Amino acid sequence: QFGAGTQRAEEVVEALTQTMPADCHLRIGESLVRVDADAMRSGRELFETLAKFARGEIRVLLGTQMIAKGLDVANVRLVGVLSADTALNLPDFRAGERTFQLVSQVAGRAGRGAFPGEVIVQTFEPGAPAIQLAADHDYQTFAHEELTLRNSIGLPPASRMARIVCRDKDLSKAKAAAKTIAEAAGDLVESKLISLMGPMPCPIERIADHFRIAIELTAPDSGKLQTAMQTLRKRGVLLSDTKTAVDVDPLALL
């Protein structure tokens, strides 16, 4: 009830171990180390911490995605994933893909040596395919189901996408700029050269005092998308300036 960040998790883990036999007690900074952007002040400190963990000098690492990928430590016997569905609920069509990647990657840190590993995944959506299939390391089924869904609704990689974000400290100006671009693309949509979503507020609607309004253009192939973008530039509505961000094949939609 007081939050679920890494500091809170650190306090809970330390408190829980105090009811165990004396040799199981975990002490923050010695046998239990938190690894996140706040605790690790430099890359060197991070690598030193990981080296101590590999040598067994640190018994428990607790942290963010910084410890989810790439660690090959033979004596890891237990991995816990807290709030595995956090990324699953982000307003991004790749949310399921990212959740599958993260859970399967962090689960792969356990049992890499002579001893078997155990993975415990905490989630509010245990029935979600991304969670279940990641726990089973079933990439083939997940990829097939995800690609089938993307193909059915015309999302990448079945199509190509360009995201245009209009930014301004004045919300009405940001909306007006996005509306101008959308209206200029009207005939391109009617001719079925592209599909258009928006204008709409970005999921993170305001950054650094700038309001953000997005437009998403999708086309069946790169040629049609390029034609549409060039047309909007020739019409003078799509500018490369500080108030307009154009992201072709965007990796995130936040």
Side-chain angles (χ1 to χ4, degrees):
Q1 63 268 39
F2 295 108
T6 49
Q7 277 186 290
R8 175 65 178 165
E10 181 184 46
E11 294 169 3
V12 170
V13 170
E14 185 196 25
L16 287 173
T17 63
Q18 303 313 305
T19 61
M20 298 178 181
D23 62 347
C24 292
H25 289 182
L26 299 175
R27 295 174 301 281
I28 292 177
E30 297 178 24
S31 50
L32 168 63
V33 174
R34 175 164 53 93
V35 179
D36 58 22
D38 294 326
M40 299 289 109
R41 291 179 291 273
S42 67
R44 180 178 179 179
E45 185 175 3
L46 171 62
F47 289 125
E48 288 177 351
T49 299
L50 297 179
K52 288 181 179 179
F53 180 67
R55 293 194 298 267
E57 297 171 20
I58 296 172
R59 298 178 62 192
V60 175
L61 286 183
L62 190 151
T64 58
Q65 296 183 32
M66 294 170 68
I67 59 172
K69 306 173 184 179
L71 296 185
D72 187 3
V73 179
N75 63 336
V76 176
R77 305 272 293 274
L78 175 65
V79 166
V81 185
L82 301 179
S83 299
D85 42 34
T86 300
L88 194 61
N89 296 310
L90 293 176
D92 190 324
F93 69 88
R94 292 190 179 90
E97 178 184 351
R98 290 202 178 95
T99 298
F100 178 89
Q101 288 176 339
L102 180 61
V103 174
S104 60
Q105 285 173 334
V106 71
R109 301 312 100 202
R112 301 176 71 86
F115 299 101
E118 182 177 1
V119 180
I120 301 173
V121 179
Q122 182 266 316
T123 171
F124 293 105
E125 299 183 49
I131 301 290
Q132 288 191 335
L133 295 173
D136 292 337
H137 288 286
D138 189 352
Y139 169 77
Q140 295 293 337
T141 299
F142 175 79
H144 174 74
E145 293 182 356
E146 187 72 8
L147 287 171
T148 299
L149 175 62
R150 301 270 189 94
N151 288 332
S152 68
I153 55 181
L155 285 173
S159 64
R160 301 294 296 273
M161 175 182 287
R163 185 173 187 244
I164 304 166
V165 177
C166 297
R167 308 174 292 197
D168 203 291
K169 290 186 176 182
D170 187 325
L171 177 59
S172 61
K173 289 182 179 179
K175 287 182 175 179
K179 183 179 179 182
T180 298
I181 296 172
E183 290 177 346
D187 62 321
L188 303 177
V189 176
E190 289 178 6
S191 64
K192 299 189 177 183
L193 185 71
I194 59 169
S195 298
L196 184 146
M197 286 188 64
M200 55 194 173
C202 295
I204 303 176
E205 188 173 357
R206 194 177 182 185
I207 296 178
D209 292 329
H210 283 71
F211 292 96
R212 306 167 71 239
I213 306 298
I215 300 166
E216 293 171 7
L217 310 179
T218 54
D221 56 60
S222 59
K224 290 182 178 179
L225 184 62
Q226 283 185 341
T227 298
M229 300 290 284
Q230 290 171 356
T231 300
L232 292 175
R233 288 193 176 96
K234 288 178 181 178
R235 291 174 179 175
V237 297
L238 187 57
L239 305 174
S240 296
D241 56 24
T242 58
K243 294 188 176 181
T244 310
V246 180
D247 190 359
V248 178
D249 295 328
L251 294 178
L253 301 180
L254 299 181

PDB file of all heavy atoms in Angstrom, residues 121-133:
ATOM      1  N   VAL A 121       6.880 -15.643 -10.822  1.00  0.00           N
ATOM      2  CA  VAL A 121       6.409 -14.442 -11.505  1.00  0.00           C
ATOM      3  C   VAL A 121       5.165 -13.923 -10.796  1.00  0.00           C
ATOM      4  O   VAL A 121       4.172 -14.635 -10.678  1.00  0.00           O
ATOM      5  CB  VAL A 121       6.083 -14.736 -12.990  1.00  0.00           C
ATOM      6  CG1 VAL A 121       5.572 -13.481 -13.685  1.00  0.00           C
ATOM      7  CG2 VAL A 121       7.315 -15.289 -13.699  1.00  0.00           C
ATOM      8  N   GLN A 122       5.235 -12.694 -10.303  1.00  0.00           N
ATOM      9  CA  GLN A 122       4.078 -12.059  -9.652  1.00  0.00           C
ATOM     10  C   GLN A 122       3.377 -11.171 -10.673  1.00  0.00           C
ATOM     11  O   GLN A 122       3.996 -10.313 -11.300  1.00  0.00           O
ATOM     12  CB  GLN A 122       4.527 -11.227  -8.447  1.00  0.00           C
ATOM     13  CG  GLN A 122       3.379 -10.561  -7.684  1.00  0.00           C
ATOM     14  CD  GLN A 122       3.120  -9.142  -8.147  1.00  0.00           C
ATOM     15  OE1 GLN A 122       4.048  -8.378  -8.348  1.00  0.00           O
ATOM     16  NE2 GLN A 122       1.861  -8.788  -8.312  1.00  0.00           N
ATOM     17  N   THR A 123       2.085 -11.408 -10.858  1.00  0.00           N
ATOM     18  CA  THR A 123       1.338 -10.662 -11.864  1.00  0.00           C
ATOM     19  C   THR A 123      -0.132 -10.578 -11.469  1.00  0.00           C
ATOM     20  O   THR A 123      -0.660 -11.466 -10.794  1.00  0.00           O
ATOM     21  CB  THR A 123       1.455 -11.340 -13.241  1.00  0.00           C
ATOM     22  OG1 THR A 123       0.549 -10.709 -14.164  1.00  0.00           O
ATOM     23  CG2 THR A 123       1.098 -12.820 -13.171  1.00  0.00           C
ATOM     24  N   PHE A 124      -0.779  -9.507 -11.890  1.00  0.00           N
ATOM     25  CA  PHE A 124      -2.225  -9.372 -11.698  1.00  0.00           C
ATOM     26  C   PHE A 124      -2.989  -9.987 -12.866  1.00  0.00           C
ATOM     27  O   PHE A 124      -4.211 -10.054 -12.837  1.00  0.00           O
ATOM     28  CB  PHE A 124      -2.609  -7.898 -11.548  1.00  0.00           C
ATOM     29  CG  PHE A 124      -2.086  -7.276 -10.281  1.00  0.00           C
ATOM     30  CD1 PHE A 124      -1.014  -6.414 -10.310  1.00  0.00           C
ATOM     31  CD2 PHE A 124      -2.674  -7.563  -9.056  1.00  0.00           C
ATOM     32  CE1 PHE A 124      -0.530  -5.845  -9.143  1.00  0.00           C
ATOM     33  CE2 PHE A 124      -2.186  -7.000  -7.883  1.00  0.00           C
ATOM     34  CZ  PHE A 124      -1.121  -6.138  -7.928  1.00  0.00           C
ATOM     35  N   GLU A 125      -2.275 -10.403 -13.905  1.00  0.00           N
ATOM     36  CA  GLU A 125      -2.908 -10.991 -15.088  1.00  0.00           C
ATOM     37  C   GLU A 125      -2.226 -12.312 -15.439  1.00  0.00           C
ATOM     38  O   GLU A 125      -1.581 -12.433 -16.479  1.00  0.00           O
ATOM     39  CB  GLU A 125      -2.825 -10.014 -16.270  1.00  0.00           C
ATOM     40  CG  GLU A 125      -3.524  -8.686 -16.022  1.00  0.00           C
ATOM     41  CD  GLU A 125      -3.487  -7.785 -17.234  1.00  0.00           C
ATOM     42  OE1 GLU A 125      -3.831  -8.267 -18.339  1.00  0.00           O
ATOM     43  OE2 GLU A 125      -3.123  -6.605 -17.098  1.00  0.00           O
ATOM     44  N   PRO A 126      -2.372 -13.326 -14.589  1.00  0.00           N
ATOM     45  CA  PRO A 126      -1.691 -14.602 -14.847  1.00  0.00           C
ATOM     46  C   PRO A 126      -2.169 -15.297 -16.115  1.00  0.00           C
ATOM     47  O   PRO A 126      -1.470 -16.162 -16.646  1.00  0.00           O
ATOM     48  CB  PRO A 126      -2.020 -15.433 -13.599  1.00  0.00           C
ATOM     49  CG  PRO A 126      -3.272 -14.821 -13.049  1.00  0.00           C
ATOM     50  CD  PRO A 126      -3.165 -13.359 -13.342  1.00  0.00           C
ATOM     51  N   GLY A 127      -3.352 -14.921 -16.610  1.00  0.00           N
ATOM     52  CA  GLY A 127      -3.861 -15.551 -17.822  1.00  0.00           C
ATOM     53  C   GLY A 127      -3.391 -14.897 -19.102  1.00  0.00           C
ATOM     54  O   GLY A 127      -3.677 -15.400 -20.199  1.00  0.00           O
ATOM     55  N   ALA A 128      -2.664 -13.788 -19.000  1.00  0.00           N
ATOM     56  CA  ALA A 128      -2.205 -13.091 -20.201  1.00  0.00           C
ATOM     57  C   ALA A 128      -1.242 -13.977 -20.994  1.00  0.00           C
ATOM     58  O   ALA A 128      -0.304 -14.536 -20.428  1.00  0.00           O
ATOM     59  CB  ALA A 128      -1.516 -11.782 -19.816  1.00  0.00           C
ATOM     60  N   PRO A 129      -1.473 -14.134 -22.307  1.00  0.00           N
ATOM     61  CA  PRO A 129      -0.595 -14.997 -23.104  1.00  0.00           C
ATOM     62  C   PRO A 129       0.878 -14.629 -22.989  1.00  0.00           C
ATOM     63  O   PRO A 129       1.737 -15.505 -22.931  1.00  0.00           O
ATOM     64  CB  PRO A 129      -1.106 -14.788 -24.536  1.00  0.00           C
ATOM     65  CG  PRO A 129      -2.545 -14.394 -24.365  1.00  0.00           C
ATOM     66  CD  PRO A 129      -2.593 -13.582 -23.108  1.00  0.00           C
ATOM     67  N   ALA A 130       1.196 -13.334 -22.941  1.00  0.00           N
ATOM     68  CA  ALA A 130       2.604 -12.919 -22.858  1.00  0.00           C
ATOM     69  C   ALA A 130       3.249 -13.447 -21.589  1.00  0.00           C
ATOM     70  O   ALA A 130       4.423 -13.837 -21.594  1.00  0.00           O
ATOM     71  CB  ALA A 130       2.706 -11.393 -22.906  1.00  0.00           C
ATOM     72  N   ILE A 131       2.492 -13.488 -20.484  1.00  0.00           N
ATOM     73  CA  ILE A 131       3.022 -13.979 -19.208  1.00  0.00           C
ATOM     74  C   ILE A 131       3.157 -15.493 -19.238  1.00  0.00           C
ATOM     75  O   ILE A 131       4.209 -16.056 -18.904  1.00  0.00           O
ATOM     76  CB  ILE A 131       2.118 -13.556 -18.039  1.00  0.00           C
ATOM     77  CG1 ILE A 131       1.999 -12.027 -17.963  1.00  0.00           C
ATOM     78  CG2 ILE A 131       2.626 -14.127 -16.732  1.00  0.00           C
ATOM     79  CD1 ILE A 131       3.238 -11.315 -17.526  1.00  0.00           C
ATOM     80  N   GLN A 132       2.084 -16.171 -19.636  1.00  0.00           N
ATOM     81  CA  GLN A 132       2.087 -17.633 -19.632  1.00  0.00           C
ATOM     82  C   GLN A 132       3.141 -18.214 -20.576  1.00  0.00           C
ATOM     83  O   GLN A 132       3.893 -19.123 -20.214  1.00  0.00           O
ATOM     84  CB  GLN A 132       0.706 -18.150 -20.025  1.00  0.00           C
ATOM     85  CG  GLN A 132      -0.353 -17.958 -18.950  1.00  0.00           C
ATOM     86  CD  GLN A 132      -1.621 -18.718 -19.272  1.00  0.00           C
ATOM     87  OE1 GLN A 132      -1.911 -19.001 -20.440  1.00  0.00           O
ATOM     88  NE2 GLN A 132      -2.389 -19.050 -18.250  1.00  0.00           N
ATOM     89  N   LEU A 133       3.205 -17.673 -21.784  1.00  0.00           N
ATOM     90  CA  LEU A 133       4.132 -18.219 -22.778  1.00  0.00           C
ATOM     91  C   LEU A 133       5.581 -17.884 -22.435  1.00  0.00           C
ATOM     92  O   LEU A 133       6.490 -18.667 -22.719  1.00  0.00           O
ATOM     93  CB  LEU A 133       3.772 -17.695 -24.169  1.00  0.00           C
ATOM     94  CG  LEU A 133       2.404 -18.167 -24.689  1.00  0.00           C
ATOM     95  CD1 LEU A 133       2.044 -17.459 -25.988  1.00  0.00           C
ATOM     96  CD2 LEU A 133       2.403 -19.679 -24.892  1.00  0.00           C
TER      97      LEU A 133
END
